[in-house]
Amino acid sequence: MTDTFPVSMDSLAFPERLPESPHYLRAVTELAQRRAVVAQEAIYAEGGIKLVEKGTRIDGRLYDRLVQHKLREPIDSHLAAEDTIDHAVLVAAAREVARDSPLGQLLGPALGTGFDRMWVSLAQVPLPSTMAFKLTVMREQRPKLFQHSLEMVIVAMFLGLRSALNDNDCIALTAAALLHDVGVLHMPPAWRDPQHKFTGADRKQLVAHPITSMLMLRAAQVYPREVELAVLEHHERMDGTGYPRGLQGADISPLGRILLLAEVVTAFYAKYTEDLPAQQLSLALRLNHRRFPAALVAHVLPLLGQAAPQDAVLQPLAADAPRAIETLARAFAHWETAKVVALSPDPDLDGQGIITFVDERLMALKKILVEAGAHPDQQREMLPLLQDDAASLAEVAFVCREAMWQLQNIANSCLRRWPLTTERRNPIDAAVAQWCDWVLGKL
């Protein structure tokens, strides 16, 4: 059985109201212990009983009691925090990120006076009290997520201005970039930890978070459809390998395409802060050119080539190249063995769709590597010629790391599309699950 992904957002059945998340409730409780949180309006139980008067200070203990009730409206729709985020605070924080972050320093010279349009757009993003409260919780309890959201604004607006968006579209894009991950407030805090491995129910939350974010924007009733759509699409890919709907090419909205590339750019700079993010991002964009919008990538690649790393930084990566080549080669060989084991008891066994899926994805990856001269067999032949070339060896290591990341994506896609595989009910499930475990354990 495989997933089916409807192209039209209208055809998806979304709940009218999100269930309360224990992770978000905990974040609000912790905020209430540190800052004054006040009820802007009276809070009622679903049956009409008034639980809290307007103006009441909500501390952690009272908040814990309130969330035991089924409320008429979501509780945070009635709350305001001390030093709540407003437009002036957002613009000041974004200016600081643009000035101090590596991404801001990368894009700043290219944007020039374009930053002025960015601040104007940010100051015009609709910011109802419910969303201002969520952003305040994010800033206070998930500061890395807040930083990421501001970096998304900078990268998305860079791409939007390079794409000659008009003022209204710039405001819509800024809103989508700023709020694309508000749904992550409903996830475990470990979400932003690059070393954390999501499995089981956590992985389902991960895949669903664009939907959660979109629903939170829809509930605010102030954001246009194109903002909701872009937020829903920020993890899609041009070749259909993204989520949550597996859209392809023209089925992804213009703002969604900008957001998906901005997400990749910011993710690389967050994950590889000390490990040559520009070089790794450049390689990833070039190797995976079918996954990202070419016209937008063309605005980013020239900037990434300007950072020349020092040999002292390259040497550890260069030294890792032989091991990286062998790990990648073992991943491919491991699949061939797993496939034989899976099919040997009964070549006609039901469930071969997952075998075909992995085969096709691996063949596509191998083709990309061969075209780039980066298949493990090719790299083994080149190694003796590169022993004194730290930059080239580092790029070999980058290629292998990116290819292993692609294998991780294939393994996660298997487990998402065929979740019962992990139960290992038959030889195919057992073999595929073992290969997925091996690949995910190597990253």
Side-chain angles (χ1 to χ4, degrees):
M1 157 176 174
T2 62
D3 288 341
T4 56
F5 300 94
V7 171
S8 170
M9 190 165 74
D10 293 332
S11 64
L12 287 174
F14 296 125
E16 291 186 7
R17 179 172 168 181
L18 287 169
E20 298 289 2
S21 157
H23 305 294
Y24 181 59
L25 295 179
R26 186 177 303 115
V28 176
T29 302
E30 292 171 356
L31 176 65
Q33 292 170 345
R34 297 173 55 235
R35 291 187 178 273
V37 175
V38 178
Q40 298 185 102
E41 302 290 341
I43 299 175
Y44 291 86
E46 190 174 52
I49 299 173
K50 183 187 291 187
L51 301 174
V52 171
E53 290 283 359
K54 177 180 178 180
T56 302
R57 169 89 180 254
I58 311 292
D59 61 16
R61 186 176 302 175
L62 176 55
Y63 185 83
D64 284 341
R65 289 205 305 269
L66 282 173
V67 297
Q68 302 304 314
H69 295 269
K70 190 168 186 181
L71 304 179
R72 195 161 63 185
E73 296 95 15
I75 187 170
D76 65 354
S77 65
H78 296 300
L79 300 182
E82 177 187 21
D83 194 22
T84 297
I85 280 180
D86 58 19
H87 287 103
V89 171
L90 277 176
V91 171
R95 283 180 180 273
E96 184 177 345
V97 170
R99 183 188 68 234
D100 297 339
S101 73
L103 270 175
Q105 293 165 6
L106 174 74
L107 301 178
L111 265 177
T113 58
F115 270 127
D116 295 335
R117 282 190 69 190
M118 188 182 305
W119 312 141
V120 170
S121 296
L122 188 55
Q124 295 182 67
V125 168
L127 197 63
S129 60
T130 53
M131 203 57 71
F133 183 79
K134 288 178 173 65
L135 286 172
T136 304
V137 173
M138 185 188 294
R139 179 191 64 188
E140 298 298 320
Q141 302 304 129
R142 305 279 187 91
K144 290 184 179 180
L145 180 61
F146 187 63
Q147 166 94 5
H148 167 71
S149 300
L150 295 176
E151 289 179 341
M152 278 288 288
V153 169
I154 293 168
V155 178
M157 275 298 290
F158 166 79
L159 295 170
L161 293 174
R162 282 289 186 270
S163 303
L165 295 188
N166 62 37
D167 290 345
N168 287 337
D169 286 340
C170 281
I171 295 170
L173 177 62
T174 303
L178 176 67
L179 303 172
H180 76 289
D181 264 353
V182 289
V184 175
L185 292 171
H186 285 236
M187 295 179 62
W191 153 250
R192 294 309 306 175
D193 180 0
Q195 305 306 317
H196 183 73
K197 298 288 192 297
F198 279 86
T199 58
D202 282 350
R203 171 143 291 279
K204 290 180 180 178
Q205 270 191 305
L206 171 65
V207 173
H209 86 268
I211 299 174
T212 305
S213 297
M214 184 276 292
L215 289 173
M216 293 167 79
L217 267 67
R218 178 173 290 180
Q221 298 183 345
V222 296
Y223 299 103
R225 177 183 174 80
E226 57 265 32
V227 174
E228 295 179 10
L229 195 57
V231 166
L232 184 65
E233 295 171 345
H234 76 270
H235 278 293
E236 298 290 355
R237 295 291 180 263
M238 299 297 284
D239 63 352
T241 60
Y243 62 85
R245 296 187 290 159
L247 302 181
Q248 292 186 2
D251 290 332
I252 304 172
S253 69
L255 297 189
R257 294 179 210 177
I258 292 176
L259 227 57
L260 73 85
L261 181 57
E263 175 69 34
V264 171
V265 172
T266 56
F268 265 78
Y269 270 79
K271 185 173 183 179
Y272 302 114
T273 52
E274 305 295 334
D275 201 3
L276 306 179
Q279 285 70 31
Q280 299 207 59
L281 175 59
S282 174
L283 183 65
L285 294 176
R286 286 181 281 129
L287 280 179
N288 300 286
H289 58 91
R290 295 180 182 87
R291 306 186 78 208
F292 306 114
L296 297 176
V297 170
H299 297 310
V300 177
L301 280 179
L303 303 180
L304 301 176
Q306 295 173 6
Q310 298 178 349
D311 279 351
V313 179
L314 293 173
Q315 287 298 342
L317 290 163
D320 190 52
R323 184 204 63 81
I325 292 172
E326 292 311 312
T327 300
L328 181 57
R330 285 179 62 200
F332 289 141
H334 195 301
W335 171 249
E336 295 304 319
T337 301
K339 185 168 58 172
V340 171
V341 171
L343 298 177
S344 58
D346 183 357
D348 299 319
L349 189 67
D350 288 341
Q352 292 191 33
I354 192 170
I355 299 287
T356 302
F357 173 81
V358 177
D359 262 345
E360 290 177 349
R361 295 285 294 272
L362 287 184
M363 288 298 295
L365 176 58
K366 289 177 181 177
K367 181 180 179 182
I368 291 170
L369 292 173
V370 169
E371 289 173 352
H375 189 278
D377 293 342
Q378 297 168 304
Q379 291 180 338
R380 283 169 174 150
E381 294 179 4
M382 291 296 297
L383 267 182
L385 306 177
L386 301 176
Q387 291 307 309
D388 298 321
D389 188 345
S392 295
L393 284 172
E395 179 147 325
V396 168
F398 285 158
V399 169
C400 293
R401 182 181 293 180
E402 173 62 23
M404 286 300 295
W405 186 89
Q406 292 292 338
L407 290 176
Q408 179 192 41
N409 184 56
I410 293 170
N412 282 327
S413 294
C414 279
L415 300 179
R416 185 170 74 247
R417 291 169 178 251
W418 290 273
L420 296 180
T421 298
T422 56
E423 296 182 6
R424 307 178 190 229
R425 300 163 302 168
N426 57 53
I428 287 181
D429 283 354
V432 172
Q434 184 183 28
W435 180 78
C436 289
D437 288 345
W438 189 91
V439 169
L440 295 173
K442 292 295 179 182
L443 297 176

